[in-house]
Each structure stands twice: as C-alpha cells, then as structure tokens.
Amino acid sequence: MNINTNNVSLKISAGQKKQFPHDVRPQIAFSGRSNVGKSSLINTLLDRKSLARVSSAPGKTITINFYDVDGKIYFVDLPGYGYARRSFDSKVVWSSLTDSYFSDNPDKDLLKLVIQLIDVRHGPTDDDINMINWLIDTETPFIVVATKSDKLSKTALKNAVEDIEREFFNGTGIHILPFSSVTKDGKAQLWKEILAHAEK
C-alpha cells in the first residue's frame, strides 16, 4: 500500500458515536495519556505542522478525530486519558466516547492497530498499564511507542527503553519503539508497522 501524505484531511471530529464514519477502510487508533505527544506524533507521521492540533490544556480534547489518509486509512485520534475519566470494566479509565469506540462500535473489526503512547522519560503510568492490559485481554493488536526520545541522550534512551521493557513487559514479548517528533527518529519504522497491520 502506497500512501500519499499530501492527500490528508480531517474527516470529522466526532463527539458522538453516531458521527463515526462507516467507510470500509482500515483504522489505526492512537491512544495515550493527555500531554504524551499524540498530536505531535500524528503531525510528524503525516508531514504536517498543525493538522492534529496540540491542545493548550491537557485533557481538553473530548472528540475522536478521524483523519482521512489518502482515502486508504483512517488515523483515529482518541481523547487523552488521565484527566476527565470514567471507569470501564473496573480496569481502564477513559472517556465515555472512547468507550463507545472500543466496545459499542459496529465497525470495530476495522480497527487494525492501536498505537499506545507512553513518555519514555517517565515510563508507563498506571493508566497506561491498565490500557495495555485491556488491549491484551481483548486481543486487540497494538504496539507501544515511547515518545519524546529526543529529550534523552542515546545512552540514556537505550537504558530507559531497556528498563521499561524489563520492569513492565518482561516475558510478554512487548517491545518499545522510541519516537521523536523533533528528530523524526522512529517515523519510518512506525509507518512500516502501520502499513503492515493495515494490509492484514
């Protein structure tokens, strides 16, 4: 699948489940705590500066934004969790809108991959771990991407990734992809993951 990132637009900012688009195309969702760098990562992947808007107030975004990527994929920008939250399944905290996307969505079979973001400097929060455990329990395909890798030196980054994998994911087969919206490190590898899952 070839993607033209010059042909990208915001399809809809959905504030209700009924606004979710029903086009039969693969969806790639982006999940993470507020202020983890989700909008910056999406902009970097799509070679844009401000398509996905960076909120001035963490937790402010309460819509699910569907980005039409070359008429072939939807990038689904989920609301950041960790601020306005509600309990789900006694394990995960997220917005009721996100709840609808994951658990009450007739097109959820189109979700091919969740890109779960964590901040490499701090490691996963309790909310991140709950989210990852939910993804595992529901057999939802996902990868873990560690943002803001440019904030650490190469040695510190290597050590941080190894420490996180050992402490939180040892024996699970989960590995972390470091990513920087500043240097674009990790961009090519993340696109490979996205396209590989989108074509399944």
Side-chain angles (χ1 to χ4, degrees), residues 29 111-116 135-136 138-143 197 200:
L111 176 60
K112 301 299 183 180
L113 180 68
V114 174
I115 297 174
Q116 177 61 40
L135 293 168
I136 293 171
T138 57
E139 299 182 344
T140 304
F142 74 96
I143 58 174
H197 283 82
K200 288 183 178 179

Side-chain angles (χ1 to χ4, degrees), residues 2 5 19 26 31 40 42 48 71 76 81 83-84 140 150 188:
N2 294 317
T5 56
Q19 295 177 302
S31 168
S40 297
I42 292 172
R48 301 299 178 90
V76 185
Y81 53 77
Y83 287 83
T140 304
D150 57 284

